[in-house]
């Protein structure tokens, strides 16, 4: 992907790196950490994020090979640039014991099947529902925000053994979830570096 970086973004990353040493992170982890920190202007994400480089390598390859990207809300999808996403929230309905966000995840899984990248930045119930499905995700970016259910849903994601990007605190949201996916999208593939 040829991407022109605006001078403001270049300066922002220069300042970020002057305040935060990310050189010890492996390449894709560094890309995710820096893009999330940049999107929130919050240096604490460097210690709060939980990633695994081997999971990111597999997700990066799948993303660039065209694996579907599913988002929990349109705001996450709006933040993911240069890539179509699947969001079924408009089609979803709440029911007894089922939030609209959880129903949207069911609908999205019915549409895309296994092997997708899932980006959840808003609803803890969306992440909880994904964990009940046999979705066989390539990666789950689970960064829902909030004081109710966010920490618990992210802990459940980490305990599930699924390949994931998450964080420990209540922090999260659409912007940081989209940023984590964009970091993988923007990172060059081996063909681009030849």
């Amino acid at each position: 992907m040829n991407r022109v970086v605006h001078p403001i973004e270049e300066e922002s990353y220069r300042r970020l790196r002057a305040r935060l040493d990310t050189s010890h992170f492996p390449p894709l982890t560094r890309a995710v950490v820096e893009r999330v920190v940049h999107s929130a202007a919050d240096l604490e994400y460097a210690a709060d994020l939980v990633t695994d480089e081997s999971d990111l390598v597999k997700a990066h390859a799948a993303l660039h090979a065209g694996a579907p990207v599913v988002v929990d809300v349109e705001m996450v999808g709006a933040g993911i640039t240069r890539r179509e996403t699947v969001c079924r929230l408009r089609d979803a309905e709440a029911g007894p014991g089922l939030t609209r966000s959880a129903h949207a995840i069911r609908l999205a899984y019915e549409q895309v099947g296994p092997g997708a990248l899932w980006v959840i930045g808003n609803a803890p119930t969306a992440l909880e529902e994904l964990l009940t499905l046999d979705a066989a995700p390539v990666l789950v970016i689970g960064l829902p925000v909030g004081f109710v259910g966010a920490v618990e849903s992210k802990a459940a994601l980490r305990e599930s053994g699924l390949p994931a990007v998450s964080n420990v605190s209540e922090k999260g949201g659409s912007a940081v979830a989209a940023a984590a996916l964009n970091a993988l999208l923007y990172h060059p593939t081996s063909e681009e570096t030849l």
Side-chain angles (χ1 to χ4, degrees), residues 88-176:
R88 296 297 303 273
L89 191 59
R90 287 180 188 243
D91 305 318
E93 296 179 6
L98 184 70
T99 65
R100 190 168 159 237
S101 296
H103 186 227
I105 294 301
R106 286 185 189 178
L107 294 173
Y109 177 64
E110 289 171 7
Q111 180 178 337
V112 303
L117 287 88
W118 294 78
V119 188
I120 298 175
N122 184 62
T125 59
L127 183 53
E128 291 165 0
E129 183 63 25
L130 178 60
L131 295 177
T132 69
L133 302 174
D134 189 20
V138 170
L139 183 71
V140 179
I141 296 175
L143 295 168
V145 63
F147 295 111
V148 178
V151 167
E152 296 83 359
S153 67
K154 291 181 274 193
L157 172 60
R158 291 189 301 277
E159 291 166 10
S160 75
L162 293 174
V165 172
S166 70
N167 69 312
V168 177
S169 73
E170 295 92 352
K171 293 191 286 190
S174 297
V176 297

